[in-house]
């Protein structure tokens, strides 16, 4: 089982998506990035596919547009991680690899 699932709803954010994904790719084998393409028509879908071909931890799911909540719900259904991390596709995460430091050990909630 993966330690962490990062769920990213994607809808017409091609201008921001690469920066978002680049901020999340790191040398860890215990996480996955789930890109939920919510019916994009601006080229975001192609970027999702491009990154999933380059990085084995990235999985892409395409669906008809239903809004951010339905995209996140599909991500939750597909997630294999013990923990869930939601990221908006027009954001980026500085120091993402430090998130894993908080997941080490049993005292996360202690």
């Amino acid at each position: 089982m993966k330690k962490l699932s990062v769920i990213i709803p994607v809808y017409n954010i091609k201008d921001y998506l690469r920066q978002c994904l680049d901020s999340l790719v790191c040398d860890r084998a215990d996480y996955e990035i789930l890109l939920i393409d919510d019916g994009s028509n601006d080229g975001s879908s192609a970027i999702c596919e491009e990154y999933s071909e380059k990085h084995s931890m990235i999985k892409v799911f395409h669906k008809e547009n239903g809004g951010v909540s339905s995209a996140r719900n599909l991500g939750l259904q597909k997630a294999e991680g013990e923990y869930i991390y939601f990221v908006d596709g027009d954001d980026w995460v500085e120091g993402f690899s430090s998130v894993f430091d908080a997941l080490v050990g049993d005292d996360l909630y202690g």
Side-chain angles (χ1 to χ4, degrees), residues 24-85:
L24 296 169
V25 171
C26 64
D27 294 331
R28 301 282 307 213
D30 56 348
Y31 82 113
E32 64 182 354
I33 297 172
L34 305 176
L35 300 175
I36 313 300
D37 175 28
D38 193 31
S40 295
N41 57 20
D42 71 339
S44 294
S45 299
I47 295 170
C48 291
E49 293 297 333
E50 172 190 331
Y51 271 76
S52 72
E53 290 173 12
K54 288 182 186 176
H55 305 284
S56 62
M57 86 285 285
I58 297 178
K59 300 174 187 174
V60 180
F61 300 92
H62 301 278
K63 62 182 277 315
E64 287 186 26
N65 182 259
V68 68
S69 294
S70 71
R72 287 185 176 143
N73 286 335
L74 178 59
L76 286 171
Q77 291 172 9
K78 301 294 184 179
E80 297 178 9
E82 183 179 356
Y83 299 99
I84 303 295
Y85 191 71

Side-chain angles (χ1 to χ4, degrees), residues 76-96:
L76 286 171
Q77 291 172 9
K78 301 294 184 179
E80 297 178 9
E82 183 179 356
Y83 299 99
I84 303 295
Y85 191 71
F86 289 108
V87 174
D88 291 330
D90 58 353
D91 292 335
W92 65 92
V93 181
E94 292 187 29
F96 172 70

